[in-house]
């Protein structure tokens, strides 16, 4: 589960970074501010809000996107993997954006732009290749970040009746289906 979350976090952060780098500078600055705000949220808040979002969607549409809690022999795999991957994805996304912008100031990028190569080609072939190495050098911090999120997710999932312990986690305050 941890490995799957790590792979998902790396892939999603690289794809989001590539898409963001194709946007104008003004939008990139807004996205970086939003990432800063998301990164400042506590782990447990993000995990609980994600679970509540799944429950609210289920109550409104009667469509269960994924299992929130496992009962008996059943296992909930998708939500814990997403919870584990979400927080490191935000951290890796910020790191990737920083590394990509730093690479854009290098002389070889100016040379490739002067040769008339497309912006997307420079991103994928030249900059991505050089920043992936730096991303994996920073993987120790990412793994520690994921382990702390694993403790939070494991604690929430291990307690079978965790909604009765904390009134914030109960769904009784959610609006009922008005059918």
């Amino acid at each position: 589960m941890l490995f799957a979350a790590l792979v998902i976090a790396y892939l999603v952060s690289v794809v989001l970074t590539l898409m963001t780098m194709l946007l104008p500078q003004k939008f990139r600055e807004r996205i970086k501010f939003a990432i800063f705000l998301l990164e400042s949220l506590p782990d447990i808040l993000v995990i609980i809000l994600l679970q509540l979002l799944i429950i609210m969607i289920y109550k409104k549409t009667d469509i269960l996107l994924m299992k929130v809690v496992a009962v008996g022999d059943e296992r909930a795999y998708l939500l814990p993997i997403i919870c584990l991957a979400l927080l490191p994805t935000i951290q890796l996304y910020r790191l990737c954006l920083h590394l990509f912008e730093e690479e854009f100031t290098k002389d070889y990028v100016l040379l490739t732009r002067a040769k008339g190569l497309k912006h997307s080609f420079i991103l994928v072939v030249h900059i991505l290749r050089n920043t992936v190495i730096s991303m994996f050098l920073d993987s120790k911090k990412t793994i520690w970040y994921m382990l702390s999120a694993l403790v939070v997710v494991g604690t929430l999932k291990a307690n079978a009746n965790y909604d009765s312990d904390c009134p914030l986690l109960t769904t009784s305050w959610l609006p009922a289906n008005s059918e």
Side-chain angles (χ1 to χ4, degrees):
M1 189 164 51
L2 190 65
F3 181 73
L6 182 66
V7 169
I8 289 170
Y10 271 104
L11 290 176
V12 169
S13 64
V14 168
V15 169
L16 285 175
T17 302
L18 288 172
M19 291 185 335
T20 304
M21 291 304 288
L22 295 173
L23 296 174
Q25 179 68 29
K26 184 171 91 172
F27 292 122
R28 282 198 310 248
E29 292 300 321
R30 290 181 182 166
I31 289 172
K32 285 195 290 189
F33 181 72
I35 292 170
F36 172 74
L37 291 178
L38 283 175
E39 236 182 354
S40 65
L41 294 175
D43 298 359
I44 193 161
L45 179 67
V46 173
I47 292 168
I48 290 172
L49 288 177
L50 184 61
Q51 290 178 1
L52 287 176
L53 177 70
I54 300 297
I55 292 168
M56 284 177 50
I57 290 172
Y58 177 67
K59 286 190 121 191
K60 292 289 185 187
T61 64
D62 286 332
I63 298 172
L64 184 61
L65 298 176
M66 59 194 78
K67 292 180 186 176
V68 177
V69 177
V71 179
D73 292 337
E74 296 178 3
R75 296 286 176 239
Y77 289 111
L78 189 57
L79 186 62
I81 289 175
I82 290 173
C83 288
L84 286 175
L86 185 65
L87 300 166
T89 300
I90 295 168
Q91 178 220 4
L92 287 171
Y93 183 37
R94 181 191 50 79
L95 176 69
C96 262
L97 276 176
H98 175 71
L99 291 172
F100 271 58
E101 287 176 345
E102 190 176 288
E103 283 293 316
F104 258 109
T105 62
K106 304 277 175 88
D107 290 338
Y108 75 91
V109 175
L110 293 175
L111 178 66
T112 57
R113 291 172 103 182
K115 285 184 174 183
L117 296 176
K118 290 184 179 179
H119 184 70
S120 57
F121 180 79
I122 296 170
L123 275 174
V124 173
V125 173
H126 295 286
I127 294 178
L128 178 63
R129 182 177 51 195
N130 293 332
T131 55
V132 165
I133 296 166
S134 298
M135 279 181 56
F136 281 108
L137 289 176
D138 200 47
S139 65
K140 187 188 313 183
K141 185 171 74 171
T142 304
I143 290 174
W144 278 110
Y145 198 64
M146 288 185 82
L147 287 174
S148 72
L150 181 64
V151 169
V152 172
V153 170
T155 304
L156 283 176
K157 296 295 178 192
N159 191 358
N161 61 348
Y162 69 91
D163 2 15
S164 64
D165 294 339
C166 179
L168 181 66
L169 295 176
T170 61
T171 57
S172 61
W173 60 271
L174 293 173
N177 249 351
S178 57
E179 292 184 53

